[in-house]
Amino acid sequence: MIGDAQTITGYFERAQVAKTMVDDGRWSEAGDLLRQLLTDVRSYKISTSNREDVESKNVSKLFFLHYMSFLQAFLKALEASMKLVLQNARDEDELHDAMTRQSGSPEPPADPDVWSKPSPPLPTSSKYNAKKGGTVPKTQPSKSASSAASYAPSAADTKPANPSQGILPPNSAGESFDASSYDSYIVQAVRGTMATQTENTMSLDDIIGMHDVKQVLHEAVTLPLLVPEFFRGLRSPWKAMVLAGPPGTGKTLIARAIASESSSTFFTVSSTDLSSKWRGDSEKIVRLLFELARFYAPSIIFIDEIDTLGGQRGNSGEHEASRRVKSEFLVQMDGAQHKFDERRVFVLAATNIPWELDEALRRRFEKRIFIPLPDLDARKKLIETSMMGTPQSNEINYDELAAKTEGFSGADVVSLCRTAAINVLRRYDTKSLRGGELTAAMESLKTEPVRNCDFEAALQAVSSSVDPDTMLKCKEWCDSFGAM
Ligand SMILES: Nc1ncnc2c1ncn2[C@@H]1O[C@H](COP(=O)(O)OP(=O)(O)OP(=O)(O)O)[C@@H](O)[C@H]1O
């Protein structure tokens, strides 16, 4: 048993070392260590030499199995996350190499700040959703599309006839997008990061509260698709809307829900990505984003943190590159609003600091809506919904709990419930349990109801993440410029 325990502890220590390597960006070393560790874990056999009797053998076996399965799951998760990070790092390198080759010289950035601050890794997977009247097939990037060659055109093949081939799926009419005026790495960038589409089956009913916002979105996005003949002339549908409110109030959630409910293609992009990721190519990316949105219409382009893109123009701190991206964005918004009425593109943006918005951009968002913190009813419903499926005691008074969470955002309320659900564990001394005892205790804890005391403890640990001053400023901006 002692030998087994020592070996297992050793595995944990090596796994921790591998994780540190991943955190430090030492991918290759971490990969080697993980591979070796996995081999060792798989081939490890429990020793029986130091077992005295059958009972102790069984206990140690259970203990062993419990930890081995935990360790294997941990290693697998670590390996998967490392692969993802590696892929992102490789994509960024290839993208950068391709751009350098393209321009013929290695950078000297005109905008050093923009170049030197890398954005966090962007999502790489992207799937196309079912659209009205047909299903857009999921993209299966071809071998060449996903390889370095697709990012970095070779001398012999600088520009393929249609770089979207193998990268972009046909639209619902079966047409292929002609991306011949774009380099394939730009198409890949938009396809892989900005054109990520929702696969969710969310509905507006999943959003708690926000009745007015849901109504406006229903009128602006869903109804014009269902009864286009009504939305003519003076009734032509709204084209752009900005949601302003504190963090964690469900702005992103509502964007996803309306895209899903209206069966629209969903493009989601953070403006930080646009303004800093691909210096010099950002304008092209914005252009392609809008072109693709029209091609796969009906579409919703969701821009998170629009303030980053649409900050006050002419500010001394504003970089030339950011200015160009913003100008392109304004041009594209106008294009989306006038020329392609039959190809519905709805631009939805979100911000926590609306007062930072450029005036020109603000005007283009015809609807400017304040997303408040959830009220008492909404908080109660959020608690009830979050707790659904988790055993809970009848003693819990949701009205009282809702009253105690005044000032919480929706995300804070969800966090409170999660903390309370986990607090069940703290009522028991699981630290002293081992092997079969621990397994049995955990099994019975699954059905142990969450009690008032768990919520009380959670309320000590979780508080509102919203700064009241920022929230007030947000509300004041909406009172001055808002339009429901
Ligand atoms: N009205 C709501 N209905 C249901 N869940 C909500 C609601 N508001 C917040 N939540 C919960 O909070 C989480 C965070 O919400 P979301 O990311 O949409 O907020 P956000 O306003 O976009 O935040 P940020 O400004 O930080 O991007 C959601 O995943 C959900 O669990």
Side-chain angles (χ1 to χ4, degrees), residues 399-454:
D399 290 302
E400 262 178 32
L401 263 181
K404 286 179 181 170
T405 52
E406 171 87 53
F408 277 42
S409 69
D412 295 334
V413 173
V414 173
S415 169
L416 177 83
C417 295
R418 294 189 63 201
T419 308
I422 290 170
N423 278 349
V424 168
L425 267 180
R426 301 210 174 157
R427 283 194 260 127
Y428 297 88
D429 182 18
T430 47
K431 284 196 295 297
S432 60
L433 300 180
R434 293 287 179 273
E437 273 178 345
L438 180 64
T439 314
M442 294 306 287
E443 197 54 43
S444 73
L445 277 179
K446 278 193 205 159
T447 52
E448 174 67 21
V450 180
R451 297 186 186 285
N452 256 340
C453 58
D454 300 316

Side-chain angles (χ1 to χ4, degrees), residues 95-208:
L95 204 56
H96 177 249
D97 287 347
M99 287 167 67
T100 309
R101 237 174 311 218
Q102 198 71 354
S103 64
S105 66
E107 290 324 295
D111 190 351
D113 278 0
V114 167
W115 187 248
S116 63
K117 282 184 206 147
S119 306
L122 292 162
T124 50
S125 68
S126 161
K127 284 174 182 155
Y128 280 81
N129 230 10
K131 301 207 308 175
K132 252 194 151 38
T135 302
V136 178
K138 289 172 184 173
T139 297
Q140 268 311 338
S142 68
K143 231 178 171 186
S144 64
S146 58
S147 70
S150 71
Y151 285 99
S154 71
D157 180 24
T158 319
K159 224 172 236 182
N162 184 356
S164 72
Q165 231 145 39
I167 301 177
L168 296 168
N171 66 8
S172 55
E175 301 155 342
S176 295
F177 183 79
D178 178 8
S180 49
S181 55
Y182 293 96
D183 293 306
S184 61
Y185 64 89
I186 297 223
V187 180
Q188 183 92 343
V190 178
R191 167 66 182 86
T193 64
M194 302 193 316
T196 303
Q197 298 196 3
T198 179
E199 240 191 337
N200 68 59
T201 49
M202 279 190 72
S203 104
L204 283 176
D205 293 337
D206 296 328
I207 312 287
I208 292 160

Side-chain angles (χ1 to χ4, degrees), residues 185-382:
Y185 64 89
I186 297 223
V187 180
Q188 183 92 343
V190 178
R191 167 66 182 86
T193 64
M194 302 193 316
T196 303
Q197 298 196 3
T198 179
E199 240 191 337
N200 68 59
T201 49
M202 279 190 72
S203 104
L204 283 176
D205 293 337
D206 296 328
I207 312 287
I208 292 160
M210 296 200 228
H211 305 291
D212 296 343
V213 185
K214 287 194 256 186
Q215 179 61 28
V216 175
L217 278 168
H218 183 66
E219 289 164 9
V221 183
T222 312
L223 279 183
L225 294 171
L226 294 176
V227 277
E229 55 289 351
F230 179 84
F231 291 89
R232 298 268 182 249
L234 192 60
R235 291 192 186 122
S236 63
W238 308 111
K239 307 284 175 32
M241 185 185 289
V242 62
L243 308 175
T249 43
K251 298 182 291 296
T252 309
L253 214 57
I254 205 161
R256 289 193 178 284
I258 193 68
S260 172
E261 183 141 309
S262 62
S263 303
S264 295
T265 310
F266 189 54
F267 293 80
T268 178
V269 57
S270 151
S271 55
T272 327
D273 301 334
L274 282 182
S275 51
S276 67
K277 191 77 180 169
W278 295 279
R279 195 182 64 80
D281 276 331
S282 299
E283 297 103 294
K284 287 187 202 157
I285 288 177
V286 171
R287 213 173 306 140
L288 183 59
L289 170 69
F290 275 84
E291 281 183 21
L292 286 181
R294 287 167 202 135
F295 184 74
Y296 291 111
S299 299
I300 293 179
I301 298 179
F302 178 65
I303 316 273
D304 205 3
E305 304 163 19
I306 185 75
D307 45 274
T308 322
L309 178 71
Q312 301 287 342
R313 279 201 292 187
N315 272 357
S316 52
E318 190 183 29
H319 291 294
E320 175 55 30
S322 313
R323 228 188 325 267
R324 284 203 312 268
V325 176
K326 198 193 305 172
S327 300
E328 182 63 43
F329 190 79
L330 292 174
V331 168
Q332 289 301 325
M333 276 192 83
D334 288 343
Q337 296 192 0
H338 298 303
K339 286 188 231 146
F340 297 92
D341 258 3
E342 72 286 4
R343 296 202 158 191
R344 291 276 295 134
V345 175
F346 185 76
V347 181
L348 191 57
T351 176
N352 304 329
I353 42 174
W355 54 90
E356 287 287 326
L357 275 191
D358 179 281
E359 196 186 321
L361 197 62
R362 191 181 67 217
R363 259 190 298 112
R364 281 164 177 86
F365 288 100
E366 305 149 295
K367 291 269 170 198
R368 300 177 284 271
I369 299 176
F370 178 57
I371 307 290
L373 292 175
D375 62 15
L376 188 76
D377 277 353
R379 294 199 302 276
K380 183 180 168 195
K381 186 120 191 274
L382 257 171

Side-chain angles (χ1 to χ4, degrees), residues 48-86:
T48 48
S49 55
N50 57 349
R51 308 293 158 70
E52 304 268 326
D53 52 42
V54 175
E55 199 180 313
S56 82
K57 259 187 224 165
N58 284 342
V59 169
S60 24
K61 202 167 182 177
L62 263 172
F63 167 81
F64 177 81
L65 289 176
H66 178 76
Y67 276 99
M68 289 303 258
S69 61
F70 169 78
L71 187 59
Q72 283 216 12
F74 171 72
L75 288 174
K76 277 205 176 121
L78 191 60
E79 201 178 38
S81 82
M82 203 185 72
K83 272 188 190 149
L84 191 77
V85 176
L86 257 178

